[in-house]
Amino acid sequence: MKVPVLYGQGEMEGFRNEVEYISKKFSWNLSESWDGMADAEFPDTPDELKAELLSFLGPEEVDFSPEERYRHSLGKSSPEILMAKHGRITRIVDAVVFPKEERAQQILYDLLQHGFRATIYGGGTSVSGSLLLSGKEKTVSIDTRNFRKFIAKNHFAIVGSGLRGAEAERAANSNRLTLGNFPESFIHSTIGGWVATKATGQESNYYGGMENLTLGVKMETSGGILQDDLVPRESVGIQPRDLALGSDGRNGLITEVAMKTFPLPDGRYYNSRIYNSFYDGITSLSRMKIFPVVARLSDEKETEFALMGAGDSAALKLFRGYLKLRRHSKGSLLVIVNNNRAVLPVRKNSISTGSGPAKSWENGRYSRPGIANILWKSGLVPDTLETSATWENIWAVYAETRKAFYSFRQAKGFQGEIMAHLSHLYREGACIYFTFIIRGESELELLQELRDVLIRSFMANGGSATHHHGKGRFFLPYMDSLLLKAQESYSDPLLGGER
Ligand SMILES: Cc1cc2nc3c(=O)[nH]c(=O)nc-3n(C[C@H](O)[C@H](O)[C@H](O)COP(=O)(O)OP(=O)(O)OC[C@H]3O[C@@H](n4cnc5c(N)ncnc54)[C@H](O)[C@@H]3O)c2cc1C
């Protein structure tokens, strides 16, 4: 059985110009060597296990097909894609369960009584390894696709956890509202997944992350329902909301989320500048008193790919001519998008490059992962890691992590490049988002070692292990053991522990 494993495979294959530029620049031959499919041969669910599940589930509530079971047993991170490519996914769930809200509580209870473990699956876009299985116990995946309500209230909405971001936002827009969370995975990720990973979107400078946008949750556990009061704020110690945010599906099944809503903006304003260097750009951002809704500053290498790889239209040629004339062919591109009014960034050490680059960024904001799909199919390994650091530490985190990448490349002798951008700005600091592409022997082991080198570099220089990708299985080794123990003490007997 063949199963597609790339993010949005089949619908996201754009940005060929950028890919061609990358291939020319590094003399990488990009002929297709992999179709993005995994060979997934797994035995059928044993008859006795099927019978056991069907003793308390209706046939329409459960799927035993190997394809669905496989799809529900991994996310979209690069290590997981490589595991799938090389047949290294060794364990998949025994069944996928699709509860309706009114049955969720009973189903969780029954699963626990019958000695099952369970994972929860929203849109499957996890990049932290949180959907991978390791334990030997009988395990099902609970798919949230039937939790689909959207009820607009006064300045908030009750949103079914199984709605995908784009579906929920469409429902909000039909009421002239926005939910304000726009992760790059917006089309495929779900509201429940956003809460469980404490996700944050591209407009977080204004709206904040899920910790700011979530008023409350309704969460089913194997022991009963936890639900926040629908109030603007309360002071009752740890609330259901706090147990749900960043829980990785281990504390309960979130069925609905009370999310804040905001009026749709009256207008969007676009702007861009090229700074002499990434360093100058960072200095300018750190001095801004009010951050625009989106501010994304690319380092010199990412800027080069964005500007030089965008194609060869007459307009682009003219634009490049202008950059040459202004002696800014190389530099660091800042794109800015703001609601309702224009925002002017600090001008020192930079030139204006108009609204074009910001509009072009916005046009590709959800389809850009398509670049990765072409690279994957060409035998390269694209990956991303992100961190956050205070303004004091941010340059060291950036510079030392690049250094660590190139030292590791030299030591191991593989092909590879790394680039970064700054996004998600805070008064105290920002998120640095690294993208890297490698090609080498034993690619899974190589990638795992490299990721460890980079994450350790973040932490050694004052950064976090991750800013928004969630803790999952991959980031556990970097967590304080006391903190992990405290977090695990809240986990549900059905959903937590080894599985
Ligand atoms: C191309 C790409 C771009 C991305 N961009 C961003 C970004 O800009 N910002 C960002 O923050 N993240 C981003 N991510 C990461 C990912 O999209 C987020 O972590 C997202 O919130 C996961 O949502 P999901 O519905 O896909 O959850 P899943 O992948 O299905 O699950 C993720 C975790 O949440 C748990 N979970 C899911 N639903 C529920 C529920 N209803 N109740 C309890 N637990 C649940 C699962 O058990 C699992 O542990 C990106 C990922 C990809 C592949």
Side-chain angles (χ1 to χ4, degrees):
M1 181 188 62
K2 291 267 196 180
V3 186
V5 292
L6 301 178
Y7 174 77
Q9 188 167 351
E11 57 192 76
M12 283 186 198
E13 303 278 322
F15 296 93
R16 289 222 166 252
N17 288 327
E18 278 85 345
V19 174
E20 259 166 44
Y21 183 78
I22 292 173
S23 102
K24 266 197 220 134
K25 167 98 187 163
F26 300 116
S27 312
W28 285 344
N29 165 25
L30 294 189
S31 51
E32 188 164 317
S33 59
W34 180 45
D35 59 4
M37 308 290 278
D39 274 317
E41 294 307 328
F42 283 91
D44 284 341
T45 308
D47 284 344
E48 57 280 17
L49 214 65
K50 284 186 184 170
E52 190 178 12
L53 284 165
L54 286 169
S55 71
F56 59 90
L57 294 171
E60 73 294 348
E61 289 178 322
V62 60
D63 190 328
F64 297 108
S65 71
E67 183 171 354
E68 279 296 304
R69 288 163 51 215
Y70 188 87
R71 248 180 15 88
H72 283 74
S73 304
L74 75 164
K76 297 294 179 198
S77 70
S78 298
E80 286 162 284
I81 290 173
L82 282 180
M83 286 168 79
K85 178 179 170 185
H86 296 297
R88 305 265 290 265
I89 301 285
T90 52
R91 172 90 172 85
I92 62 171
V93 292
D94 296 301
V96 181
V97 179
F98 303 94
K100 294 228 166 74
E101 194 173 340
E102 60 277 16
R103 287 266 300 137
Q105 175 55 217
Q106 184 66 43
I107 290 176
L108 293 190
Y109 177 80
D110 287 338
L111 284 169
L112 186 64
Q113 294 311 307
H114 283 260
F116 280 88
R117 310 305 303 251
T119 58
I120 300 171
Y121 186 93
T125 67
S126 157
V127 282
S128 63
S130 61
L131 298 171
L132 284 172
L133 300 192
S134 65
K136 295 254 176 298
E137 288 170 81
K138 50 189 186 180
T139 305
V140 302
S141 170
I142 300 172
D143 188 304
T144 62
R145 71 177 62 168
N146 290 328
F147 309 140
R148 300 191 57 78
K149 67 179 69 145
F150 186 96
I151 305 164
K153 301 276 192 183
N154 195 350
H155 290 91
F156 67 98
I158 309 290
V159 190
S161 66
L163 281 185
R164 287 169 194 260
E167 293 174 322
E169 181 66 15
R170 257 197 309 278
N173 290 171
S174 67
N175 294 284
R176 297 280 313 142
L177 299 169
T178 175
L179 297 171
N181 197 49
F182 306 97
E184 199 180 39
S185 59
F186 178 71
I187 297 169
H188 294 281
S189 53
T190 61
I191 303 300
W194 289 357
V195 176
T197 58
K198 213 199 248 185
T200 190
Q202 292 163 341
E203 304 193 12
S204 68
N205 296 349
Y206 180 72
Y207 297 109
M210 284 308 285
E211 66 278 24
N212 308 105
L213 295 169
T214 306
L215 203 59
V217 298
K218 182 176 175 196
M219 188 157 75
E220 311 274 354
T221 74
S222 57
I225 298 178
L226 282 167
Q227 186 161 19
D228 283 288
D229 298 325
L230 283 177
V231 292
R233 183 177 191 273
E234 60 183 331
S235 177
V236 293
I238 293 170
Q239 297 174 223
R241 192 192 86 110
D242 304 323
L243 289 176
L245 279 162
S247 61
D248 267 343
R250 302 174 75 82
N251 296 354
L253 166 65
I254 304 157
T255 52
E256 61 180 48
V257 182
M259 271 189 87
K260 295 181 188 174
T261 55
F262 305 82
L264 276 177
D266 293 326
R268 295 276 269 184
Y269 291 84
Y270 303 88
N271 200 342
S272 73
R273 301 193 77 79
I274 292 196
Y275 287 87
N276 292 350
S277 67
F278 192 44
Y279 187 87
D280 286 338
I282 293 177
T283 308
S284 297
L285 286 181
S286 70
R287 289 182 185 157
M288 281 183 92
K289 297 225 161 35
I290 298 172
F291 297 128
V293 167
V294 177
R296 185 180 158 115
L297 176 76
S298 295
D299 72 357
E300 289 86 350
K301 190 158 284 166
E302 202 181 89
T303 300
E304 181 185 338
F305 288 136
L307 297 182
M308 305 305 285
D312 268 325
S313 65
L316 274 166
K317 281 185 181 153
L318 204 67
F319 183 64
R320 285 181 200 133
Y322 163 76
L323 293 182
K324 217 168 175 180
L325 198 71
R326 300 287 312 267
R327 298 212 182 92
H328 271 75
S329 295
K330 290 198 163 42
S332 176
L333 174 68
L334 172 67
V335 301
I336 282 190
V337 183
N338 200 40
N339 290 342
N340 301 327
R341 66 182 186 84
V343 170
L344 290 176
V346 179
R347 297 161 73 147
K348 199 171 164 209
N349 297 332
S350 69
I351 61 163
S352 169
T353 38
S355 59
K359 285 183 177 160
S360 150
W361 169 81
E362 190 174 69
N363 284 338
R365 66 193 292 191
Y366 308 126
S367 52
R368 205 160 274 110
I371 297 182
N373 287 358
I374 305 175
L375 297 172
W376 275 116
K377 289 183 177 178
S378 308
L380 295 164
V381 178
D383 198 5
T384 60
L385 283 171
E386 32 73 73
T387 177
S388 72
T390 57
W391 294 119
E392 286 91 339
N393 291 332
I394 208 150
W395 184 255
V397 171
Y398 170 73
E400 293 302 319
T401 301
R402 273 173 56 82
K403 229 189 261 171
F405 177 91
Y406 289 115
S407 305
F408 185 72
R409 184 181 76 171
Q410 192 169 17
K412 295 281 173 173
F414 61 91
Q415 291 181 310
E417 286 298 332
I418 189 163
M419 58 194 115
H421 63 256
L422 222 70
S423 53
H424 306 288
L425 307 182
Y426 306 89
R427 243 172 19 125
E428 312 79 19
C431 162
I432 319 180
Y433 189 100
F434 287 91
T435 302
F436 46 99
I437 307 169
I438 61 170
R439 172 148 66 188
E441 298 293 311
S442 309
E443 48 190 11
L444 177 56
E445 287 70 21
L446 185 65
L447 179 70
Q448 283 168 331
E449 260 190 83
L450 173 61
R451 285 170 62 98
D452 183 59
V453 165
L454 300 183
I455 296 168
R456 291 198 188 281
S457 160
F458 295 165
M459 298 179 76
N461 290 289
S464 58
T466 161
H467 167 261
H468 59 261
H469 280 171
K471 93 174 171 280
R473 191 175 290 269
F474 295 155
F475 295 95
L476 291 184
Y478 309 100
M479 282 190 64
D480 184 292
S481 57
L482 205 60
L483 182 62
L484 255 185
K485 206 163 143 196
Q487 291 190 2
E488 200 50 40
S489 68
Y490 292 113
S491 75
D492 185 274
L494 175 70
L495 301 161
E498 175 84 2
R499 55 189 193 202

